[in-house]
Amino acid sequence: MQMESLVALCKRRGFLFQSSEIYGGLNGFWDYGPLGVLLKRNVKETWWNDNVLNHNELIQPNNAPSTYEMTGLDCTIIMHPQVWKCSGHYDLFHDFMVDCRESKKRYRYDHVLGRYVTGKKHGSEGAPSEIVKVFVTTMETENTQSALDEAALKFFGIRKKDIEVLQWEGDITSISKLTSFENVLGPDAKHIGTLTEPREFNLMFKTTIGALGGEDDYSFLRPETAQGIFVNFKNVCDSTRVRVPFGIAQVGKSFRNEITPRNFTFRSREFEQMEIEFFCHPAQSAQWYQYWRDKRFAWYTQMGLSGEKLRLREHDADELSHYSCGTADIEYAFPFLAEGEYGELEGIAHRGDFDLRSHMEGKLVKDGNALIVEKLPNGQPKHRGSGKDLSYYDDLAKERFIPHVIEPSAGADRATLAFLCEAYNVDNAPDENGKPQERVFLKFHPRLAPVKAAVFPLVKKDSMPEIAQEIYGELKREPLTASAVYDDKGAVGRRYRRQDEIGTPYCITVDGQTLQDGTVTLRDRDTLEQVRIKKDNLIAELDGRLKQ
Ligand code: ATP
């Protein structure tokens, strides 16, 4: 599938628009259109239903160490600035970036890729030509070498057919591996050596609280929803009857001032997360980690992401955060990535007691195998914790401990994008005259499809519109099919195509036979099969089919 076709469809049919488009757009920000909002809401609701509401705390699921409880929270986006100091985001949540003095552009350091190439550079204004060795660069793309070829041709001023005269050396590497940028040609530069040294760039958006706006009145837009859960751990324990093991789920906006937002909504500056913090006894945490990793992977496959494009990747030991004894990413082979590359949909991390302890004691750092409070040279804690006791007392086992945390952290926008990419299908289906014609259809899982059913009168006469409108009214009253649409414009074949293109699983047509025997046709988006159903049985039939 060509990514451009999907992006065009998303705009044309109202799934996604660039934010503030009439003012030229704002990089890294996206608006969900009328269909997009339905789709993303279905993704979030399905996630919430499958992890929180439909979870039965009386039943021990397969592979779970015990039964468990699930509950939810909805915390603020702006929190006490100390939260981010203790969580480590304030000190650590940065990327390195380089600026180009010539193009005035800014790049994420580890995303600028390049390779050494030697060639003859023609001197300008009659100056003699000279042999130059330069590290040409480009931003990570689908075909990095061809982007480098282009950059080198431009730099040396030679034509494509003469490309053989260029001598390439070494593998493609990031500029973060170089010791000097002296011979580097920036991705958008004409001259060598215009990149600055890398600088740290905090990914949190800073904001001011209140009217005065002094240095003490600032905070940040949250870069993850998780911290709201940790700082409310005690409130939830005290106000409900939950017992460890239990999980708290939250869905909400997060903000990261990403240096190079790209790949449609994959890397945005404002996005939504679906996170669970699962609190358990330290002795069982390794088993709970396995449980959540497998449960979350299975969810994506149930929702239709296919085998070879979806993978579960365990992090190597050197990739793990210092407090973690296991992290796995669920990844998807997005079509905008190069062959063999995958992009993260969700991370499942074993976080030990790092988070609760940080909010009790202050920002932690590693000391050998232990975590200790980071100190300033004067011996004071670098970032002081809340001082509140966030331990848990198990009154049955008569044991007090700081629970370990397993964190399945997913992105709602990335999941929505993966479902869109996976759903995009093209086939040759017969049109109303039986002639095969190219058909674009979105093969969403019925639970995710933005519109579940469309109702058509075959023609606008013989009381067909009245019957169709009655059916439409009934569907609108049912929560499952409340997003149903009514369409009486144009040939029925074209109406089917319009629904296929937005992924509507079922179309219902009222025709001449309806007037005689009260049946309507029910057409399946994927098989194109049409069956006749009594219109009085329609709701029950759709209910069965959509709840598969
Ligand atoms: P990446 O390495 O891609 O930047 P991350 O490892 O920093 O991601 P986490 O901090 O683990 O991401 O966040 C959890 C989830 O939130 C990610 O798996 C992803 O689905 C989502 N997410 C994170 N950053 C973004 C973003 N800039 N745009 C959209 N979704 C995001």
Side-chain angles (χ1 to χ4, degrees), residues 256 258 265-268 271 273 344-346 409 411 414:
R256 295 183 189 178
E258 299 277 3
T265 58
F266 180 83
R267 188 171 302 286
S268 314
F271 54 97
Q273 289 184 308
E344 176 182 329
L345 287 178
E346 171 163 352
S409 171
R414 284 197 190 167

Side-chain angles (χ1 to χ4, degrees), residues 380-545:
Q380 293 295 315
K382 183 166 185 206
H383 297 303
R384 214 174 276 282
S386 67
K388 299 281 183 303
D389 180 6
L390 302 181
S391 65
Y392 173 82
Y393 183 66
D394 185 335
D395 53 356
L396 297 179
K398 305 268 181 281
E399 184 191 2
R400 182 170 288 285
F401 58 91
I402 301 175
H404 274 196
V405 168
I406 311 301
E407 178 186 76
S409 171
D413 307 86
R414 284 197 190 167
T416 304
L417 185 57
F419 292 130
L420 270 166
C421 293
E422 184 79 20
Y424 191 95
N425 271 280
V426 183
D427 69 1
N428 263 318
D431 64 11
E432 57 248 71
N433 305 318
K435 275 213 194 113
Q437 209 185 60
E438 188 178 278
R439 174 178 82 123
V440 173
F441 65 114
L442 294 183
K443 203 173 169 184
F444 289 124
H445 187 285
R447 289 177 74 190
L448 300 180
V451 173
K452 309 288 187 217
V455 187
F456 312 147
L458 185 64
V459 287
K460 280 197 251 183
K461 57 179 189 192
D462 301 336
S463 58
M464 288 182 210
E466 288 75 12
I467 299 173
Q469 278 166 24
E470 203 180 300
I471 293 173
Y472 171 66
E474 275 172 39
L475 295 182
K476 295 298 275 182
R477 281 193 292 279
E478 293 294 319
L480 186 64
T481 50
S483 61
V485 296
Y486 181 84
D487 189 3
D488 60 6
K489 290 179 196 69
V492 75
R494 297 194 53 185
R495 284 182 257 167
Y496 284 140
R497 299 273 164 143
R498 276 204 288 272
Q499 294 305 319
D500 289 342
E501 207 187 31
I502 63 166
T504 306
Y506 298 105
C507 292
I508 296 135
T509 305
V510 171
D511 55 16
Q513 201 176 324
T514 314
L515 312 175
Q516 293 156 19
D517 63 7
T519 61
V520 292
T521 63
L522 183 67
R523 171 196 183 260
D524 183 302
R525 173 197 67 201
D526 304 336
T527 62
L528 301 175
E529 193 196 5
Q530 296 195 24
V531 288
R532 292 207 78 90
I533 308 263
K534 282 255 174 231
K535 68 180 166 55
D536 297 342
N537 297 340
L538 199 55
I539 299 276
E541 177 72 27
L542 282 175
D543 198 71
R545 288 177 179 238

